[in-house]
Amino acid sequence: MTKASGSRFEVQPDLINPAASDQAKRLMEYLCSIYGKRMLTGQQIGVVSTPEFDMIHEVTGKYPAVGGFDFMNYSPSRVERGAERQDTDLAMKWWDRGGIVTFCWHWNAPKDLIDLPPDRTWGRGFYTNATTFDIARAMSEPSSEEYGLIIRDIDAIAAELKRLQDAGIPVLWRPLHEASGGWFWWGAKGPEPCIALWKLMYERMTHHHELNNLIWVWNGQHKDWYPGDSYVDIIGEDIYPPARDYGSQSERFRTAASYTDAAKIIALTENGVIPDLDLMQEDGCPWAWNCTWYGNFVFTGEGNNRRYSEEYTDELQLIRTYHHPFTVTLDELPDLKG
């Protein structure tokens, strides 16, 4: 019997945006209704190569409920360098199949890319060590070029989110992820400019662009970086334990719960290894969904020689996860469109 009971898991489906779309409200109501009772299976796909969904189906006979996508290549500093862009279209197809859509954004710095091979190239421009872009200057000087470029980039991604809104697609929106780690430029100068950027993005997207299809998933991973309950719908944690460590990650779950006194849904927004479902229930940490990262966390080999990789989550554990009564797979999702 699960220990996941009580007020911690009784979350009201009230979104921070009072003008939230019917689709966003419907998705949030569903998430709240199953929270503490079941976990949505999820999988991130690669930005260019995308075999992860089919690889999981090949092994388990099922598809994940949540599809993870990335606006990385829609960053203007990547667009101007010819980056391939397909995730918006892929997310639309996933929704059409009945799946839930979540997006992150590996935001390439708007300018000041070091572009020095091998590990500081423009293609790694979201990393602190690959750019000299100064978020503190940008957020403290609204008249600066840096601030103007921040607005330009937010507007570019808002245009993609507007396409999804026009198609009736709600989005579990997870920008500025893992900020407290400092390895991404938006977290390089400490909590204050990052919190200011989060609030700016929320205000710009919600009030200027009237994006009402977003459920805001905050993934800063430290209490000092929390922007406040009125700016967060869901709390996410990204966890990469050692290979085949199937622990429930209960300590991180409880840490996430400590960021606020409010009852918020807590999700495993990135993972390498998939935690054991029985341990999750025993330890009282039923993550709302998981989203396994892409590439070698799922497969090995190239082209027709690709096969499931057991390096992180062995095949039997994956099959068990996708057939466990606690998890929800694509075929088990309700109709969230109407």
Side-chain angles (χ1 to χ4, degrees):
M1 181 178 178
T2 179
K3 296 179 182 177
S5 58
S7 59
R8 172 75 252 182
F9 304 101
E10 294 171 2
V11 180
Q12 298 303 309
D14 301 322
L15 293 170
I16 55 174
N17 177 7
S21 68
D22 289 343
Q23 293 90 344
K25 289 178 181 177
R26 191 177 300 117
L27 175 55
M28 188 64 174
E29 286 168 359
Y30 174 64
L31 294 175
C32 290
S33 74
I34 66 168
Y35 186 48
K37 305 178 185 74
R38 301 190 74 184
M39 183 188 81
L40 298 168
T41 51
Q43 177 62 53
Q44 187 81 16
I45 64 167
V47 173
V48 177
S49 178
T50 60
E52 289 81 8
F53 293 159
D54 290 335
M55 187 67 61
I56 287 173
H57 183 263
E58 183 179 311
V59 174
T60 69
K62 289 178 174 286
Y63 287 99
V66 178
F69 305 89
D70 194 339
F71 284 127
M72 179 171 75
N73 280 358
Y74 295 83
S75 304
S77 67
R78 294 176 83 93
V79 172
E80 65 190 22
R81 289 168 169 83
E84 179 182 338
R85 304 182 299 283
Q86 60 177 346
D87 278 52
T88 304
D89 294 322
L90 291 172
M92 289 179 171
K93 292 177 181 177
W94 184 248
W95 175 256
D96 287 343
R97 291 176 64 179
I100 294 170
V101 170
T102 184
F103 261 96
C104 65
W105 180 19
H106 282 87
W107 184 350
N108 236 56
K111 68 165 191 163
D112 299 330
L113 301 173
I114 293 173
D115 206 6
L116 184 66
D119 59 355
R120 304 172 82 184
T121 61
W122 67 263
R124 294 173 60 83
F126 40 86
Y127 283 115
T128 298
N129 71 352
T131 179
T132 58
F133 186 80
D134 190 341
I135 181 181
R137 170 176 164 78
M139 299 314 298
S140 64
E141 300 181 31
S143 61
S144 66
E145 179 189 10
E146 286 85 353
Y147 184 88
L149 290 171
I150 288 283
I151 295 296
R152 177 203 66 177
D153 285 14
I154 290 174
D155 289 352
I157 302 308
E160 297 304 311
L161 291 166
K162 181 65 162 54
R163 288 181 61 200
L164 295 168
Q165 177 167 270
D166 290 345
I169 303 173
V171 177
L172 297 169
W173 172 226
R174 185 175 67 98
L176 307 186
H177 64 293
E178 301 175 12
S180 64
W183 44 78
F184 297 136
W185 63 261
W186 52 85
K189 300 290 185 176
E192 288 188 13
C194 186
I195 290 172
L197 179 56
W198 178 277
K199 292 180 177 179
L200 171 65
M201 185 183 294
Y202 175 80
E203 298 295 337
R204 184 79 179 173
M205 288 186 167
T206 304
H207 301 300
H208 179 78
H209 290 288
E210 298 183 336
L211 290 170
N212 299 320
N213 61 325
L214 307 181
I215 296 175
W216 288 77
V217 182
W218 177 81
N219 187 205
Q221 311 211 132
H222 193 286
K223 189 171 186 174
D224 292 349
W225 298 65
Y226 190 67
D229 292 335
S230 60
Y231 286 93
V232 174
D233 288 310
I234 291 173
I235 294 171
E237 290 287 297
D238 296 355
I239 307 175
Y240 289 89
R244 300 197 182 192
D245 176 354
Y246 302 125
S248 66
Q249 305 301 328
S250 58
E251 183 177 341
R252 288 286 295 275
F253 188 94
R254 286 191 285 271
T255 297
S258 74
Y259 298 149
T260 174
D261 292 331
K264 299 278 187 182
I265 286 176
I266 298 171
L268 184 55
T269 40
E270 285 184 29
N271 61 277
V273 180
I274 302 174
D276 184 84
L277 279 302
D278 292 333
L279 292 177
M280 282 171 44
Q281 294 176 84
E282 290 172 11
D283 294 343
C285 55
W287 302 94
W289 70 84
N290 82 287
C291 196
T292 305
W293 205 240
Y294 63 86
N296 63 343
F297 291 103
V298 181
F299 68 90
T300 185
E302 297 292 333
N304 294 331
N305 294 320
R306 284 176 177 147
R307 67 183 190 280
Y308 179 71
S309 172
E310 297 193 85
E311 180 178 355
Y312 294 94
T313 301
D314 70 61
E315 188 169 304
L316 289 176
Q317 181 73 4
L318 183 72
I319 293 170
R320 184 168 175 269
T321 297
Y322 272 75
H323 289 268
H324 198 285
F326 191 76
T327 55
V328 179
T329 50
L330 179 66
D331 57 298
E332 297 176 288
L333 285 174
D335 179 7
L336 295 168
K337 298 177 181 178

